[in-house]
Amino acid sequence: MGLSLDGKTYVVMGVANKRSIAWGIARSLHNAGARLIFTYAGERLESSVRELANSLEAEGTLVLPCDVTSDEAIATCFTEIKEAVGTIHGIAHCIAFAKTDELKGEFVNTSRDGFLLAQNISSFSLTAVAKEARGLMAEGGSIVTLTYLGGERAIPNYNVMGVAKASLDASVRYLAADLGKDRIRVNSISAGPIRTLSAKAIGEFNSILNEIEERAPLRRTTTPEEVGDTALFLFSDLSRGITGENIHVDSGYHIL
Ligand code: NAD
């Protein structure tokens, strides 16, 4: 029992480019010997995700579309995965979206559409994916999603995404309660701020990074590699007793 994922298959959802946290997770899993299946949101991202997947030079890597706003797209994606590999051992859910103009100013101005959109893509998608993937994890499995401190505290500008993360955090606990009897564990990683495509949408993101460098116990910002290695632990048997948990990988900032 250890950190080797040899002979195991994981679905990594949410790679957009090489800065994506999902890509950090993919590299950690690949280095541990896992077979990877990548899913991407829309045609616009297909070529960059394929290029990154090919760069791993790994046998059996698959790249499939999966827009999580569509139940049909999720069902089709997991049917294709089942036909291709039969069994999977886990899912990295690294997906979120909110309208840029709702990630600045006062939360009280959030629109109904913007609220529902953020909840749909950033929170409900975990449950929708877990439902379709459950039957493919016949040997047990591990689902890992990504959350942020803004779901636990009111953080300026995070606004509607903070409420979506709070709902995602609660979903982790309810899914863990449901799926434990199938030997499927569900956990989240609360990552410190990392400069990615999605993060660019958050107002005054640079000042959040500066604050971490100045005040976090480790005095540095979080890297996708650090998140990737914690995900590797959560996917491996070393974490077999952990479910419904949230691990902060944020240089310790959350204790302040
Ligand atoms: P990213 O932009 O690289 O990844 C976000 C992904 O969500 C993209 O690949 C995008 O295509 C995907 N996505 C959006 N709408 C989708 C849809 N309808 N269907 C399928 N996929 C869709 O940014 P990231 O920072 O790597 O974000 C990954 C996760 O990490 C998100 O949940 C984010 O909230 C979380 N997170 C990020 C930070 C940070 O500071 N970057 C901190 C904590 C948590």
Side-chain angles (χ1 to χ4, degrees):
M1 201 165 285
L3 282 172
S4 170
L5 300 182
D6 249 341
K8 296 197 168 169
T9 303
Y10 295 84
V11 181
V12 178
M13 311 183 78
V15 174
N17 57 37
K18 65 178 193 319
R19 286 173 180 262
S20 295
I21 298 176
W23 182 239
I25 293 176
R27 276 176 299 165
S28 291
L29 299 191
H30 169 72
N31 292 338
R35 176 181 182 177
L36 299 180
I37 297 169
F38 292 92
T39 72
Y40 58 90
E43 274 173 30
R44 204 170 44 80
L45 286 176
E46 181 176 0
S47 60
S48 61
V49 178
R50 279 197 189 281
E51 201 175 303
L52 285 170
N54 290 341
S55 73
L56 295 176
E57 295 181 0
E59 235 172 85
T61 306
L62 288 178
V63 179
L64 296 169
C66 189
D67 178 344
V68 297
T69 57
S70 158
D71 288 336
E72 200 188 334
I74 298 172
T76 304
C77 175
F78 280 91
T79 301
E80 284 183 36
I81 292 172
K82 190 177 172 119
E83 282 165 8
V85 302
T87 303
I88 62 169
H89 301 90
I91 297 169
H93 172 277
C94 316
I95 291 173
F97 186 78
K99 292 181 187 174
T100 309
D101 55 8
E102 307 213 271
L103 296 171
K104 58 182 179 231
E106 291 188 325
F107 168 70
V108 71
N109 295 323
T110 303
S111 68
R112 188 182 300 272
D113 278 0
F115 187 95
L116 295 176
L117 181 70
Q119 288 284 339
N120 190 10
I121 298 182
S122 318
S123 176
F124 178 69
S125 63
L126 179 71
T127 299
V129 163
K131 187 178 173 192
E132 289 299 329
R134 181 181 198 173
L136 276 70
M137 290 190 268
E139 297 168 9
S142 171
I143 298 175
V144 176
T145 188
L146 285 164
T147 188
Y148 180 57
L149 193 59
E152 300 170 66
R153 299 187 201 161
I155 292 187
N157 300 314
Y158 204 60
N159 298 355
V160 70
M161 189 56 84
V163 178
K165 291 304 191 192
S167 144
L168 179 73
D169 296 349
S171 303
V172 165
R173 292 186 285 272
Y174 278 92
L175 289 171
D178 280 351
L179 303 182
K181 56 185 170 299
D182 295 349
R183 292 181 301 146
I184 298 170
R185 300 183 290 111
V186 188
N187 294 290
S188 58
I189 296 174
S190 181
I194 299 174
R195 202 186 297 278
T196 61
L197 199 62
S198 297
K200 273 190 195 156
I202 300 162
E204 295 171 45
F205 190 70
N206 281 343
S207 62
I208 302 178
L209 289 177
N210 292 343
E211 157 107 357
I212 304 285
E213 275 174 355
E214 281 162 23
R215 294 190 57 227
L218 297 180
R219 298 287 196 277
R220 56 179 166 78
T221 52
T222 303
T223 67
E225 290 75 20
E226 290 170 343
V227 178
D229 287 348
T230 300
L232 169 58
F233 164 70
L234 286 173
F235 283 125
S236 80
D237 287 337
L238 294 184
S239 62
R240 63 196 176 280
I242 301 175
T243 194
E245 187 60 275
N246 178 33
I247 302 182
H248 293 85
V249 181
D250 65 349
S251 297
Y253 184 76
H254 70 283
I255 64 167
L256 300 178

Short mmCIF file of all heavy atoms in Angstrom, two decimals, residues 13-17 19-22 40-41 45 66-69 93-97 121 145-148 158 161 165 168 189-199 202 205, ligand 1:
data_model
loop_
_atom_site.label_atom_id
_atom_site.label_comp_id
_atom_site.label_asym_id
_atom_site.label_seq_id
_atom_site.Cartn_x
_atom_site.Cartn_y
_atom_site.Cartn_z
N MET A 13 -11.10 16.30 -14.80
CA MET A 13 -12.04 17.24 -15.44
C MET A 13 -11.61 18.68 -15.13
O MET A 13 -11.45 19.03 -13.97
CB MET A 13 -13.46 17.02 -14.90
CG MET A 13 -13.89 15.56 -14.89
SD MET A 13 -15.59 15.34 -14.34
CE MET A 13 -16.48 15.81 -15.81
N GLY A 14 -11.41 19.48 -16.18
CA GLY A 14 -11.15 20.90 -15.93
C GLY A 14 -9.77 21.41 -16.32
O GLY A 14 -9.37 22.49 -15.87
N VAL A 15 -9.06 20.66 -17.18
CA VAL A 15 -7.82 21.25 -17.70
C VAL A 15 -8.22 22.26 -18.78
O VAL A 15 -8.99 21.94 -19.69
CB VAL A 15 -6.89 20.18 -18.33
CG1 VAL A 15 -5.69 20.85 -19.00
CG2 VAL A 15 -6.42 19.17 -17.29
N ALA A 16 -7.73 23.50 -18.65
CA ALA A 16 -7.93 24.49 -19.71
C ALA A 16 -6.59 24.79 -20.37
O ALA A 16 -6.50 24.89 -21.59
CB ALA A 16 -8.53 25.77 -19.14
N ASN A 17 -5.55 24.89 -19.57
CA ASN A 17 -4.20 25.15 -20.10
C ASN A 17 -3.18 24.66 -19.06
O ASN A 17 -3.54 24.07 -18.05
CB ASN A 17 -4.02 26.65 -20.42
CG ASN A 17 -4.29 27.51 -19.20
OD1 ASN A 17 -3.95 27.15 -18.08
ND2 ASN A 17 -4.93 28.64 -19.40
N ARG A 19 -1.53 26.12 -16.89
CA ARG A 19 -1.61 26.73 -15.55
C ARG A 19 -2.74 26.14 -14.70
O ARG A 19 -2.83 26.40 -13.50
CB ARG A 19 -1.89 28.23 -15.68
CG ARG A 19 -0.70 29.03 -16.14
CD ARG A 19 -1.14 30.46 -16.40
NE ARG A 19 -0.05 31.27 -16.85
CZ ARG A 19 0.67 32.07 -16.07
NH1 ARG A 19 0.39 32.15 -14.79
NH2 ARG A 19 1.64 32.77 -16.56
N SER A 20 -3.64 25.38 -15.33
CA SER A 20 -4.79 24.83 -14.61
C SER A 20 -4.37 23.95 -13.44
O SER A 20 -3.42 23.15 -13.57
CB SER A 20 -5.66 23.98 -15.55
OG SER A 20 -6.22 24.76 -16.56
N ILE A 21 -5.10 24.07 -12.33
CA ILE A 21 -4.82 23.19 -11.19
C ILE A 21 -5.02 21.73 -11.61
O ILE A 21 -4.29 20.84 -11.19
CB ILE A 21 -5.72 23.57 -10.00
CG1 ILE A 21 -5.41 25.00 -9.54
CG2 ILE A 21 -5.52 22.59 -8.85
CD1 ILE A 21 -6.31 25.52 -8.42
N ALA A 22 -6.01 21.51 -12.50
CA ALA A 22 -6.26 20.14 -12.98
C ALA A 22 -5.02 19.55 -13.65
O ALA A 22 -4.75 18.35 -13.56
CB ALA A 22 -7.43 20.14 -13.97
N TYR A 40 -12.96 17.98 -21.28
CA TYR A 40 -12.87 19.42 -21.48
C TYR A 40 -14.27 19.98 -21.75
O TYR A 40 -15.19 19.26 -22.15
CB TYR A 40 -11.92 19.76 -22.64
CG TYR A 40 -12.33 19.13 -23.95
CD1 TYR A 40 -13.18 19.79 -24.82
CD2 TYR A 40 -11.90 17.85 -24.29
CE1 TYR A 40 -13.59 19.21 -26.01
CE2 TYR A 40 -12.30 17.26 -25.46
CZ TYR A 40 -13.14 17.94 -26.33
OH TYR A 40 -13.56 17.35 -27.48
N ALA A 41 -14.38 21.32 -21.54
CA ALA A 41 -15.71 21.94 -21.55
C ALA A 41 -16.30 22.12 -22.95
O ALA A 41 -17.46 21.83 -23.17
CB ALA A 41 -15.63 23.29 -20.86
N LEU A 45 -11.55 24.38 -26.37
CA LEU A 45 -10.43 23.93 -25.53
C LEU A 45 -9.83 22.60 -25.99
O LEU A 45 -8.77 22.19 -25.51
CB LEU A 45 -10.91 23.77 -24.07
CG LEU A 45 -11.16 25.05 -23.30
CD1 LEU A 45 -11.72 24.73 -21.92
CD2 LEU A 45 -9.85 25.84 -23.14
N CYS A 66 -16.97 17.13 -22.23
CA CYS A 66 -17.97 16.99 -21.16
C CYS A 66 -18.33 18.38 -20.62
O CYS A 66 -17.68 18.90 -19.71
CB CYS A 66 -17.44 16.11 -20.03
SG CYS A 66 -18.73 15.70 -18.83
N ASP A 67 -19.36 18.96 -21.21
CA ASP A 67 -19.88 20.23 -20.71
C ASP A 67 -20.81 19.90 -19.55
O ASP A 67 -21.88 19.30 -19.75
CB ASP A 67 -20.63 20.96 -21.83
CG ASP A 67 -21.23 22.28 -21.35
OD1 ASP A 67 -21.34 22.48 -20.12
OD2 ASP A 67 -21.60 23.10 -22.20
N VAL A 68 -20.44 20.29 -18.34
CA VAL A 68 -21.19 19.84 -17.16
C VAL A 68 -22.53 20.55 -16.97
O VAL A 68 -23.27 20.23 -16.04
CB VAL A 68 -20.35 19.95 -15.86
CG1 VAL A 68 -19.14 19.04 -15.92
CG2 VAL A 68 -19.96 21.38 -15.57
N THR A 69 -22.87 21.49 -17.86
CA THR A 69 -24.21 22.09 -17.76
C THR A 69 -25.26 21.16 -18.39
O THR A 69 -26.46 21.43 -18.29
CB THR A 69 -24.29 23.46 -18.47
OG1 THR A 69 -23.91 23.30 -19.83
CG2 THR A 69 -23.40 24.48 -17.78
N HIS A 93 -12.42 16.65 -9.94
CA HIS A 93 -13.40 17.63 -10.42
C HIS A 93 -12.80 19.02 -10.16
O HIS A 93 -12.73 19.47 -9.01
CB HIS A 93 -14.71 17.42 -9.65
CG HIS A 93 -15.76 18.46 -9.89
ND1 HIS A 93 -15.79 19.68 -9.23
CD2 HIS A 93 -16.83 18.48 -10.72
CE1 HIS A 93 -16.83 20.38 -9.63
NE2 HIS A 93 -17.48 19.67 -10.54
N CYS A 94 -12.35 19.68 -11.24
CA CYS A 94 -11.65 20.97 -11.09
C CYS A 94 -12.36 22.00 -11.96
O CYS A 94 -11.76 22.58 -12.88
CB CYS A 94 -10.19 20.84 -11.52
SG CYS A 94 -9.37 19.36 -10.93
N ILE A 95 -13.63 22.20 -11.69
CA ILE A 95 -14.49 22.98 -12.57
C ILE A 95 -15.21 24.07 -11.80
O ILE A 95 -15.78 23.82 -10.73
CB ILE A 95 -15.52 22.02 -13.23
CG1 ILE A 95 -14.81 21.08 -14.21
CG2 ILE A 95 -16.64 22.80 -13.92
CD1 ILE A 95 -15.71 20.00 -14.78
N ALA A 96 -15.18 25.28 -12.33
CA ALA A 96 -15.94 26.38 -11.74
C ALA A 96 -16.16 27.46 -12.79
O ALA A 96 -15.36 27.60 -13.72
CB ALA A 96 -15.19 26.96 -10.54
N PHE A 97 -17.23 28.20 -12.62
CA PHE A 97 -17.46 29.35 -13.50
C PHE A 97 -18.45 30.33 -12.85
O PHE A 97 -19.42 29.92 -12.24
CB PHE A 97 -18.03 28.91 -14.86
CG PHE A 97 -18.13 30.06 -15.83
CD1 PHE A 97 -17.00 30.52 -16.49
CD2 PHE A 97 -19.35 30.71 -16.03
CE1 PHE A 97 -17.08 31.60 -17.36
CE2 PHE A 97 -19.43 31.79 -16.89
CZ PHE A 97 -18.30 32.24 -17.55
N ILE A 121 -22.65 25.27 -12.55
CA ILE A 121 -21.36 24.79 -13.05
C ILE A 121 -20.40 24.43 -11.91
O ILE A 121 -19.71 23.41 -11.96
CB ILE A 121 -20.71 25.84 -13.98
CG1 ILE A 121 -21.62 26.08 -15.20
CG2 ILE A 121 -19.31 25.39 -14.41
CD1 ILE A 121 -21.08 27.06 -16.21
N THR A 145 -12.61 17.23 -5.25
CA THR A 145 -12.99 18.48 -5.88
C THR A 145 -12.17 19.62 -5.27
O THR A 145 -11.50 19.44 -4.26
CB THR A 145 -14.51 18.75 -5.74
OG1 THR A 145 -14.85 19.89 -6.54
CG2 THR A 145 -14.92 19.00 -4.31
N LEU A 146 -12.23 20.78 -5.93
CA LEU A 146 -11.44 21.92 -5.48
C LEU A 146 -12.32 23.03 -4.95
O LEU A 146 -13.25 23.48 -5.64
CB LEU A 146 -10.60 22.44 -6.64
CG LEU A 146 -9.42 21.55 -6.95
CD1 LEU A 146 -8.84 21.85 -8.30
CD2 LEU A 146 -8.36 21.70 -5.87
N THR A 147 -12.01 23.47 -3.74
CA THR A 147 -12.79 24.54 -3.15
C THR A 147 -11.85 25.67 -2.72
O THR A 147 -10.65 25.62 -2.97
CB THR A 147 -13.65 23.99 -1.99
OG1 THR A 147 -14.53 25.02 -1.56
CG2 THR A 147 -12.79 23.53 -0.81
N TYR A 148 -12.44 26.70 -2.10
CA TYR A 148 -11.64 27.86 -1.69
C TYR A 148 -12.20 28.42 -0.39
O TYR A 148 -13.41 28.32 -0.12
CB TYR A 148 -11.65 28.92 -2.81
CG TYR A 148 -10.85 30.15 -2.48
CD1 TYR A 148 -9.51 30.07 -2.15
CD2 TYR A 148 -11.46 31.41 -2.49
CE1 TYR A 148 -8.78 31.20 -1.83
CE2 TYR A 148 -10.74 32.55 -2.17
CZ TYR A 148 -9.40 32.44 -1.83
OH TYR A 148 -8.68 33.56 -1.51
N TYR A 158 -14.95 37.67 -4.01
CA TYR A 158 -15.20 36.26 -4.35
C TYR A 158 -16.71 36.00 -4.48
O TYR A 158 -17.16 35.14 -5.24
CB TYR A 158 -14.55 35.33 -3.32
CG TYR A 158 -14.26 33.95 -3.86
CD1 TYR A 158 -13.42 33.77 -4.94
CD2 TYR A 158 -14.87 32.83 -3.31
CE1 TYR A 158 -13.17 32.50 -5.46
CE2 TYR A 158 -14.62 31.56 -3.81
CZ TYR A 158 -13.78 31.40 -4.88
OH TYR A 158 -13.54 30.15 -5.38
N MET A 161 -19.14 33.22 -6.13
CA MET A 161 -18.37 31.97 -6.16
C MET A 161 -18.17 31.43 -4.75
O MET A 161 -18.12 30.21 -4.55
CB MET A 161 -17.02 32.22 -6.85
CG MET A 161 -16.23 30.96 -7.13
SD MET A 161 -17.13 29.76 -8.12
CE MET A 161 -16.77 30.39 -9.72
N LYS A 165 -19.07 27.76 -3.55
CA LYS A 165 -18.12 26.87 -2.87
C LYS A 165 -18.72 26.33 -1.57
O LYS A 165 -18.48 25.17 -1.21
CB LYS A 165 -16.79 27.59 -2.60
CG LYS A 165 -15.97 27.89 -3.85
CD LYS A 165 -15.64 26.67 -4.68
CE LYS A 165 -14.60 26.97 -5.77
NZ LYS A 165 -14.51 25.87 -6.76
N LEU A 168 -20.80 23.62 -2.64
CA LEU A 168 -19.94 22.50 -3.06
C LEU A 168 -19.43 21.74 -1.81
O LEU A 168 -19.43 20.51 -1.78
CB LEU A 168 -18.76 23.03 -3.88
CG LEU A 168 -17.75 22.01 -4.38
CD1 LEU A 168 -18.34 21.18 -5.53
CD2 LEU A 168 -16.47 22.70 -4.87
N ILE A 189 -10.13 19.71 -1.70
CA ILE A 189 -8.89 20.43 -1.38
C ILE A 189 -9.22 21.91 -1.47
O ILE A 189 -9.75 22.37 -2.49
CB ILE A 189 -7.76 20.09 -2.37
CG1 ILE A 189 -7.38 18.61 -2.27
CG2 ILE A 189 -6.55 20.99 -2.13
CD1 ILE A 189 -6.38 18.16 -3.33
N SER A 190 -8.95 22.65 -0.40
CA SER A 190 -9.13 24.09 -0.43
C SER A 190 -7.78 24.70 -0.78
O SER A 190 -6.89 24.80 0.06
CB SER A 190 -9.63 24.59 0.92
OG SER A 190 -9.82 25.98 0.87
N ALA A 191 -7.64 25.06 -2.06
CA ALA A 191 -6.34 25.57 -2.53
C ALA A 191 -6.20 27.05 -2.22
O ALA A 191 -7.18 27.80 -2.28
CB ALA A 191 -6.24 25.35 -4.04
N GLY A 192 -4.98 27.46 -1.90
CA GLY A 192 -4.70 28.89 -1.80
C GLY A 192 -4.77 29.48 -3.20
O GLY A 192 -4.80 28.74 -4.19
N PRO A 193 -4.83 30.82 -3.30
CA PRO A 193 -4.95 31.44 -4.62
C PRO A 193 -3.78 31.13 -5.55
O PRO A 193 -2.62 31.19 -5.14
CB PRO A 193 -5.00 32.94 -4.32
CG PRO A 193 -4.78 33.11 -2.88
CD PRO A 193 -4.84 31.79 -2.20
N ILE A 194 -4.11 30.75 -6.78
CA ILE A 194 -3.10 30.42 -7.80
C ILE A 194 -3.50 31.16 -9.08
O ILE A 194 -4.69 31.18 -9.44
CB ILE A 194 -3.10 28.89 -8.08
CG1 ILE A 194 -2.74 28.11 -6.81
CG2 ILE A 194 -2.15 28.54 -9.22
CD1 ILE A 194 -2.86 26.59 -6.95
N ARG A 195 -2.52 31.75 -9.75
CA ARG A 195 -2.83 32.54 -10.95
C ARG A 195 -3.21 31.62 -12.12
O ARG A 195 -2.34 31.08 -12.80
CB ARG A 195 -1.62 33.40 -11.33
CG ARG A 195 -1.97 34.60 -12.18
CD ARG A 195 -0.71 35.30 -12.63
NE ARG A 195 0.07 35.82 -11.53
CZ ARG A 195 -0.18 36.98 -10.93
NH1 ARG A 195 -1.18 37.73 -11.33
NH2 ARG A 195 0.57 37.40 -9.94
N THR A 196 -4.50 31.40 -12.34
CA THR A 196 -4.98 30.57 -13.46
C THR A 196 -5.96 31.42 -14.27
O THR A 196 -6.30 32.55 -13.89
CB THR A 196 -5.74 29.33 -12.94
OG1 THR A 196 -6.87 29.78 -12.18
CG2 THR A 196 -4.88 28.44 -12.07
N LEU A 197 -6.46 30.82 -15.36
CA LEU A 197 -7.43 31.52 -16.21
C LEU A 197 -8.65 31.98 -15.40
O LEU A 197 -9.07 33.13 -15.47
CB LEU A 197 -7.87 30.54 -17.31
CG LEU A 197 -8.52 31.10 -18.56
CD1 LEU A 197 -7.54 32.03 -19.28
CD2 LEU A 197 -8.94 29.96 -19.48
N SER A 198 -9.21 31.07 -14.59
CA SER A 198 -10.40 31.40 -13.79
C SER A 198 -10.08 32.49 -12.76
O SER A 198 -10.89 33.39 -12.53
CB SER A 198 -10.91 30.19 -13.03
OG SER A 198 -11.32 29.21 -13.92
N ALA A 199 -8.90 32.41 -12.15
CA ALA A 199 -8.55 33.35 -11.09
C ALA A 199 -8.46 34.78 -11.64
O ALA A 199 -8.72 35.75 -10.92
CB ALA A 199 -7.22 32.94 -10.45
N ILE A 202 -11.25 37.20 -10.97
CA ILE A 202 -11.56 37.70 -9.63
C ILE A 202 -10.92 39.08 -9.41
O ILE A 202 -9.72 39.24 -9.61
CB ILE A 202 -11.06 36.69 -8.56
CG1 ILE A 202 -11.76 35.34 -8.77
CG2 ILE A 202 -11.30 37.21 -7.15
CD1 ILE A 202 -11.07 34.18 -8.11
N PHE A 205 -7.09 40.33 -7.72
CA PHE A 205 -6.48 39.03 -7.40
C PHE A 205 -5.04 39.20 -6.93
O PHE A 205 -4.58 38.49 -6.04
CB PHE A 205 -6.57 38.11 -8.62
CG PHE A 205 -6.18 36.69 -8.32
CD1 PHE A 205 -7.00 35.89 -7.54
CD2 PHE A 205 -4.99 36.15 -8.78
CE1 PHE A 205 -6.65 34.58 -7.24
CE2 PHE A 205 -4.62 34.85 -8.49
CZ PHE A 205 -5.46 34.06 -7.72
P1 NAD B 1 -8.99 26.97 -14.81
O1 NAD B 1 -9.64 28.11 -15.53
O2 NAD B 1 -7.71 26.48 -15.34
O3 NAD B 1 -10.01 25.75 -14.68
C1 NAD B 1 -11.41 25.90 -14.59
C2 NAD B 1 -11.99 24.87 -15.51
O4 NAD B 1 -13.42 24.84 -15.42
C3 NAD B 1 -11.64 25.14 -16.99
O5 NAD B 1 -10.97 24.04 -17.54
C4 NAD B 1 -13.00 25.31 -17.62
O6 NAD B 1 -13.06 24.83 -18.96
C5 NAD B 1 -13.87 24.46 -16.70
N1 NAD B 1 -15.29 24.71 -16.92
C6 NAD B 1 -15.95 25.89 -16.86
N2 NAD B 1 -17.23 25.72 -17.26
C7 NAD B 1 -17.36 24.39 -17.57
C8 NAD B 1 -18.43 23.60 -18.06
N3 NAD B 1 -19.65 24.12 -18.32
N4 NAD B 1 -18.22 22.27 -18.27
C9 NAD B 1 -17.01 21.72 -18.02
N5 NAD B 1 -15.96 22.42 -17.56
C10 NAD B 1 -16.14 23.75 -17.35
O7 NAD B 1 -8.82 27.50 -13.30
P2 NAD B 1 -8.39 26.74 -11.96
O8 NAD B 1 -8.03 27.84 -11.03
O9 NAD B 1 -7.43 25.66 -12.23
O10 NAD B 1 -9.78 26.16 -11.44
C11 NAD B 1 -9.98 24.79 -11.11
C12 NAD B 1 -10.77 24.68 -9.81
O11 NAD B 1 -9.93 25.15 -8.74
C13 NAD B 1 -12.03 25.53 -9.75
O12 NAD B 1 -13.04 24.82 -9.07
C14 NAD B 1 -11.59 26.72 -8.92
O13 NAD B 1 -12.67 27.37 -8.28
C15 NAD B 1 -10.71 26.01 -7.93
N6 NAD B 1 -9.81 26.87 -7.15
C16 NAD B 1 -8.97 27.73 -7.77
C17 NAD B 1 -8.15 28.55 -7.02
C18 NAD B 1 -7.22 29.53 -7.69
O14 NAD B 1 -6.77 30.47 -7.03
N7 NAD B 1 -6.88 29.38 -8.96
C19 NAD B 1 -8.16 28.46 -5.61
C20 NAD B 1 -9.03 27.55 -5.00
C21 NAD B 1 -9.86 26.76 -5.79
#
